Amino acid sequence: MDTNRNPEINTNLCDNCGICVENCTENALHLEKQGPVFNSPNTCTYCAICEEICPLHAIRVPYTVSWKA
Ligand code: SF4
Ligand code: SF4
């Protein structure tokens, strides 16, 4: 199972406002010229604050539900 997935950032939509970076409680993101990037794949707790707060819907936190048969 892949446990190190990060939120997905659409750099075509992102305008580099930095709101997601400022509001990430885990400091998992930092801002680069092309948009936010992850400091460390293991830092993100998948809380989805960044997804909720992004005004351009440029960052998504997709969930996959799986179960054992
Ligand atoms: S909040 Fe959205 S638009 Fe702003 S830097 Fe983050 S991903 Fe880009
Ligand atoms: S899901 Fe939460 S911890 Fe992960 S980058 Fe977004 S705000 Fe930070």
Side-chain angles (χ1 to χ4, degrees):
M1 186 172 70
D2 180 3
T3 56
N4 288 333
R5 287 200 66 194
N6 280 322
E8 298 167 355
I9 299 162
N10 185 334
T11 52
N12 293 323
L13 293 175
C14 175
D15 70 354
N16 252 12
C17 71
I19 291 173
C20 59
V21 177
E22 290 162 16
N23 286 278
C24 174
T25 54
E26 306 303 320
N27 293 319
L29 298 164
H30 72 273
L31 203 55
E32 295 277 338
K33 205 163 55 179
Q34 74 275 16
V37 295
F38 288 91
N39 290 325
S40 154
N42 296 323
T43 314
C44 174
T45 58
Y46 238 58
C47 69
I49 289 173
C50 53
E51 181 181 65
E52 278 180 40
I53 213 162
C54 175
L56 299 176
H57 308 293
I59 186 162
R60 289 184 58 247
V61 183
Y63 288 87
T64 302
V65 177
S66 62
W67 63 91
K68 290 182 181 173

